[in-house]
Amino acid sequence: MKTLIVYYSYTNNTEKVAKKIAELKKYDILKLEPLVDYSTDYQKVVDEEEAKMDSEEIVELKPINVDLNQYDRIILGTPVWWYTMAPVVRSFLSGNNLNGKKVIAFITNGGWIGHTVNDIKKYCEIESYINLKFNGDKIQNEKSLSDWINSL
Ligand SMILES: Cc1cc2nc3c(=O)[nH]c(=O)nc-3n(C[C@H](O)[C@H](O)[C@H](O)COP(=O)(O)O)c2cc1C
C-alpha cells in the first residue's frame, strides 16, 4: 500500500506532525499551499477568517505536482480554523476525488475541534482520525501521537 501525507500548516504545528510521520514511516509528503499567501500577521488572519466563518470558503492552491493516482492511502493533516478544516484543505478535498482511497486525518487545534471531522466527511470517507491539541506550539498528547504513528 502506497501512502501520501497531505497537509497544510500556517504556524508549523501541523507541519511538525507531518514531518514526524514522514520521517518515521518513510511516506511521501505533500505540503498544500495557497496561491496567495496569508498575511504573516497572525491576529489579522484570525480576525479575517472569523469574518468568513461558516462560508465554506474555497481558495486557489499552488499547483500540486504529485500524481494522487499512485497512492492508495492519504494521511491528511489540517489545523482547525474556526471550528473546521483550514480553507486550503477544504480546497484540496473539493478539487480532488479521493474515492477508493483510505483516508486518515490528523487534526491540530488549540482544544476546539468543532465540526472539523464531519466537515471532512462531506468530501471523503475517513477511516479514522486523531485530534492533536496544542498549547501554542507545544503538543499536549505527544505519547498518543507516537502510538498513533506506530499504528499506521
Ligand atoms: C484563523 C485561525 C483560526 C483558528 N481557529 C481555531 C479553532 O476554532 N479551534 C481551535 O482549537 N484552534 C483554532 N486555531 C488554532 C490552531 O488550530 C492551532 O494553533 C493549530 O495547531 C495550528 O496549526 P498550524 O501551526 O499547522 O497552522 C485557529 C488558528 C487560526 C490561525
Side-chain angles (χ1 to χ4, degrees), residues 15-43:
E15 177 153 281
K16 274 185 275 173
V17 176
K19 288 190 168 164
K20 185 169 178 176
I21 304 167
E23 191 187 320
L24 292 174
K25 301 298 255 187
K26 310 282 177 243
Y27 297 151
D28 293 347
I29 186 164
L30 168 67
K31 179 178 189 166
L32 302 172
E33 290 179 282
L35 192 60
V36 180
D37 279 340
Y38 286 98
S39 166
T40 53
D41 180 340
Y42 184 86
Q43 197 53 50

Side-chain angles (χ1 to χ4, degrees), residues 12-118:
N12 285 339
N13 289 349
T14 315
E15 177 153 281
K16 274 185 275 173
V17 176
K19 288 190 168 164
K20 185 169 178 176
I21 304 167
E23 191 187 320
L24 292 174
K25 301 298 255 187
K26 310 282 177 243
Y27 297 151
D28 293 347
I29 186 164
L30 168 67
K31 179 178 189 166
L32 302 172
E33 290 179 282
L35 192 60
V36 180
D37 279 340
Y38 286 98
S39 166
T40 53
D41 180 340
Y42 184 86
Q43 197 53 50
K44 186 168 179 232
V45 174
V46 168
D47 294 343
E48 284 177 357
E49 294 305 309
E50 183 178 18
K52 288 186 274 184
M53 205 195 313
D54 298 332
S55 71
E56 305 197 354
E57 193 197 8
I58 299 292
V59 294
E60 240 187 291
L61 303 183
K62 285 190 184 157
I64 291 166
N65 299 316
V66 167
D67 179 10
L68 295 174
N69 291 323
Q70 284 183 24
Y71 296 92
D72 316 292
R73 185 165 71 155
I74 303 289
I75 301 186
L76 181 74
T78 184
V80 173
W81 278 20
W82 292 109
Y83 313 109
T84 187
M85 74 193 102
V88 166
V89 173
R90 181 185 303 108
S91 306
F92 169 76
L93 292 179
S94 134
N96 295 281
N97 186 346
L98 302 184
N99 278 353
K101 299 187 197 302
K102 289 190 179 205
V103 181
I104 296 175
F106 60 101
I107 302 168
T108 77
N109 60 90
W112 294 275
I113 192 171
H115 35 87
T116 308
V117 175
N118 279 340

